[in-house]
Amino acid sequence: MHTSIAFVTRHRLRAAQAAAVLALSGLLSACYVVPMQPTVGGPVQSPAAAAASAQQPVASTVTFNARMYPANDLAAKYGAVQGTVTNDLHGRGIFTANVAGETYTGEATRNPGNSRGGMANGVGSRGGWMKCSYQMNSNALGTGECELNNGARFTMHLGS
């Protein structure tokens, strides 16, 4: 009789374990695992830091069209040129323009002590360069001048 009690006890124990595993898997089926470090080699942020940064407003950007018109004979062969300035609202931005198939990319910054004036410099995809100076007449409109490394000069209008 002792063997049959041990058999029944083992059978009940296994049944209880199976029920527990089944119940646990049912509970976990609605759970999601969220990685704390979403990119390999990226920074790890603590939950407290993530909560603090989630409460801070995110700064937006503003993109201005830059229309450049020839100002000398060297620039006349290119005609009108289109570009953009994406401003991060902290006194700097990204400047891009395309002249005769060469893409110029660089940075635009405001001049120290002059919140309306600034400069933009770009390096071309074929080794050229462009430098510009500008003056904002309002928050959304401005004028300026740009020059390519070959001496071609343009007048520039910023804004929509």
Side-chain angles (χ1 to χ4, degrees), residues 11-138:
H11 181 66
R12 286 184 182 165
L13 180 60
R14 285 189 181 155
Q17 287 174 338
V21 167
L22 210 67
L24 186 58
S25 66
L27 289 172
L28 292 178
S29 68
C31 294
Y32 291 96
V33 176
V34 178
M36 292 299 293
Q37 187 173 358
T39 54
V40 177
V44 177
Q45 190 174 33
S46 72
S53 66
Q55 294 174 359
Q56 296 175 355
V58 177
S60 60
T61 60
V62 176
T63 299
F64 296 103
N65 290 321
R67 295 170 312 282
M68 294 169 268
Y69 300 98
N72 66 6
D73 289 339
L74 289 171
K77 67 181 179 183
Y78 301 117
V81 174
Q82 295 290 320
T84 60
V85 177
T86 302
N87 184 341
D88 69 2
L89 303 178
H90 294 289
R92 59 178 288 218
I94 303 298
F95 169 74
T96 60
N98 191 307
V99 181
E102 184 169 8
T103 302
Y104 295 84
T105 305
E107 188 173 9
T109 56
R110 296 289 172 97
N111 292 333
N114 181 355
S115 64
R116 297 241 183 236
M119 62 186 341
N121 296 298
V123 175
S125 56
R126 296 185 201 146
W129 53 261
M130 177 186 276
K131 64 179 180 177
C132 305
S133 61
Y134 63 91
Q135 182 75 25
M136 296 302 291
N137 303 320
S138 70

